[in-house]
């Protein structure tokens, strides 16, 4: 019976901040155990455990109850939105800083250190603000559309503790990861549409008179936008189903591989050409002289290894999972 409790506590923990997760999960385990001991004197059946968990309610709402009065976009959506934002706040600023420094390093203009630092900080803040606005807008639209998160994730039939996924189910969809991928994908698509508008890569976001544009093959840029949109649709499909199927995961891996090839022509090759034009001596350095190709090969290897590893886990788990976890109680 303890495994059913662990599955519930694990799901609650997925919606909690990292720094509070362990403490709240321990408190929740103790609370559930006390209720079981009081009601069933230490000998509950699986149905008894399920009844207690059903009274506690959906794991997402249970997690929201530990957060206090948090109503930025509503208590149902708040935990998911904050997890997506936290991940974005960790990833977006460093990426923006790196890209901006590379643009300054290989650009045509030379500025003093203070100007470079101020522009870099401003660029990171701007990118983070845009990402935050996109995420909040997505959740605000969901909040005011009248949709319930249970309907979006396919759980509108009511909370059933016996249908909780296992703690280590490799096919389970990480809701945070999926929503983060869709939000970050939206951000990336908007940036790429701007690149399409100005005809290449640039950090000068000025539609009227963009400067220092690195030309890229437009067909490959269009293909990359299409792949990014397809990946967002795929993430949404998996989110609605609640699980990654084998076929769906294979399509995801294929898109990752094709996306890596497309990114080579849109990003890595143009940037490498700019670097080699600025520092011709680098073309004769082993590995660095083929840096774009090395990144392409590494990206494909990572996509293949990661995809195959998860696929093997999914197939193995399918045949080893206990059948009792796949059916609901009468």
């Amino acid at each position: 019976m303890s495994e059913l409790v662990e599955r519930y506590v694990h799901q609650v923990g997925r919606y909690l901040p990292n720094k509070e997760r362990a403490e709240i999960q321990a408190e929740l385990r103790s609370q559930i155990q006390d209720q079981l001991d009081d009601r069933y004197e230490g000998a509950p059946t699986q149905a008894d455990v399920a009844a207690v968990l059903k009274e506690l309610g959906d794991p997402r709402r249970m997690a929201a109850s530990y957060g206090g009065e948090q109503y930025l976009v509503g208590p149902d959506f708040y935990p998911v939105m904050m997890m997506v934002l936290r991940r974005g706040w960790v990833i977006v600023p460093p990426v923006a800083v790196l890209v901006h420094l590379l643009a300054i390093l290989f650009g045509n203009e030379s500025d003093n250190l203070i100007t470079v630092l101020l522009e870099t900080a401003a660029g990171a803040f701007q990118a983070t603000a845009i990402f935050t606005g996109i995420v909040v807008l997505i959740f605000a639209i969901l909040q005011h559309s009248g949709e319930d998160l249970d309907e979006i994730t396919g759980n509108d039939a009511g909370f059933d503790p016996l249908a909780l996924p296992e703690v280590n189910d490799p096919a389970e969809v990480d809701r945070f990861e999926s929503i983060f991928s869709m939000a970050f994908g939206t951000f990336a698509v908007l940036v790429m549409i701007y690149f399409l508008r100005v005809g290449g890569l640039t950090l000068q976001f000025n539609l009227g008179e963009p400067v220092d544009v690195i030309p890229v093959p437009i067909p490959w840029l269009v293909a990359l936008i299409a792949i990014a949109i397809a990946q967002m649709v795929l993430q949404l499909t998996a989110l609605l189903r609640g699980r990654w199927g084998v076929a769906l995961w294979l399509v995801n891996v294929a898109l990752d591989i094709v996306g890596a090839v497309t990114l080579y022509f849109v990003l890595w090759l143009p940037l490498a050409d700019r670097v080699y034009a600025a520092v011709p001596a680098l073309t004769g350095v082993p590995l660095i002289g083929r840096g774009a190709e090395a990144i392409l090969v590494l990206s494909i290897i990572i996509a293949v290894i990661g995809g195959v590893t998860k696929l093997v886990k999914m197939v193995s788990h399918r045949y080893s999972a206990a059948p009792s976890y796949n059916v609901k109680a009468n």
Side-chain angles (χ1 to χ4, degrees):
M1 301 309 135
S2 61
E3 183 179 358
L4 188 60
V5 174
E6 283 303 314
R7 286 155 62 183
Y8 181 82
V9 173
H10 172 70
Q11 289 299 312
V12 173
R14 293 177 61 202
Y15 298 99
L16 297 171
N18 290 335
K19 63 180 181 180
E20 302 174 5
R21 184 175 301 157
E23 180 181 352
I24 292 177
Q25 285 181 316
E27 178 183 338
L28 183 58
R29 284 192 192 94
S30 177
Q31 177 186 344
I32 295 172
Q33 189 60 51
D34 289 344
Q35 291 191 32
L36 292 173
D37 291 341
D38 291 342
R39 295 188 189 185
Y40 308 109
E41 299 181 354
T45 65
Q46 186 180 43
D48 296 334
V49 176
V52 170
L53 297 180
K54 190 172 183 63
E55 289 180 8
L56 292 176
D58 182 90
R60 174 174 46 81
R61 291 191 172 91
M62 173 58 70
S65 69
Y66 283 96
E69 298 295 320
Q70 300 167 326
Y71 290 99
L72 181 61
V73 294
D76 285 348
F77 288 93
Y78 184 86
V80 182
M81 185 193 72
M82 289 308 302
M83 183 61 73
V84 172
L85 286 175
R86 289 188 190 101
R87 291 190 181 183
W89 292 336
V90 171
I91 295 175
V92 173
V95 172
V97 168
L98 178 61
V99 171
H100 192 76
L101 289 178
L102 288 174
I104 293 175
L105 182 61
F106 300 106
N108 298 323
E109 299 180 1
S110 59
D111 296 315
N112 59 55
L113 180 60
I114 296 179
T115 302
V116 169
L117 292 176
L118 289 176
E119 289 181 352
T120 301
F125 178 79
Q126 182 185 40
T128 304
I130 292 173
F131 174 80
T132 301
I134 291 173
V135 172
V136 173
L137 178 61
I138 290 174
F139 280 92
I141 291 173
L142 293 175
Q143 179 70 43
H144 295 286
S145 67
E147 297 290 339
D148 186 84
L149 192 58
D150 288 334
E151 297 175 359
I152 296 172
T153 57
N155 297 324
D156 55 339
F159 170 57
D160 181 4
L162 295 175
L164 284 168
E166 296 180 46
V167 174
N168 296 315
D169 185 356
E172 181 185 4
V173 172
D174 188 329
R175 293 186 181 93
F176 301 133
E177 188 65 37
S178 293
I179 297 177
F180 172 77
S181 297
M182 288 186 287
F184 193 82
T186 302
F187 174 74
V189 166
L190 291 176
V191 172
M192 287 188 288
I193 290 175
Y194 174 76
F195 290 161
L196 185 64
R197 165 68 176 78
V198 300
L201 308 178
T202 179
L203 288 179
Q204 303 293 332
F205 293 94
N206 182 357
L207 289 175
E209 210 173 318
V211 296
D212 198 21
V213 175
I214 303 176
V216 299
I218 297 302
W220 284 107
L221 181 55
V222 173
L224 186 59
I225 294 174
I227 291 171
I229 294 174
Q231 287 180 317
M232 287 191 290
V233 172
L234 198 67
Q235 289 286 346
L236 179 60
T237 302
L239 182 63
L240 292 174
R241 293 183 178 182
R243 294 176 61 82
W244 284 100
V246 172
L248 203 62
W249 182 250
L250 286 174
V251 174
N252 182 65
V253 174
L255 285 175
D256 284 342
I257 295 174
V258 177
V261 175
T262 309
L263 198 61
Y264 165 78
F265 289 103
V266 171
L267 181 62
W268 305 125
L269 189 57
L271 287 180
D273 290 340
R274 172 63 69 91
V275 171
Y276 299 147
V279 188
L282 292 178
T283 56
V285 179
L287 190 60
I288 296 180
R290 308 283 297 192
E293 290 78 4
I295 293 175
L296 170 61
V297 172
L298 182 62
S299 300
I300 293 177
I301 291 175
I302 292 175
V304 170
I305 292 177
V308 171
T309 300
K310 181 164 182 174
L311 182 63
V312 170
K313 290 181 179 179
M314 289 169 60
V315 174
S316 300
H317 184 270
R318 173 183 293 181
Y319 290 103
S320 63
S324 59
Y325 299 147
N326 298 324
V327 296
K328 296 182 180 181
N330 292 328

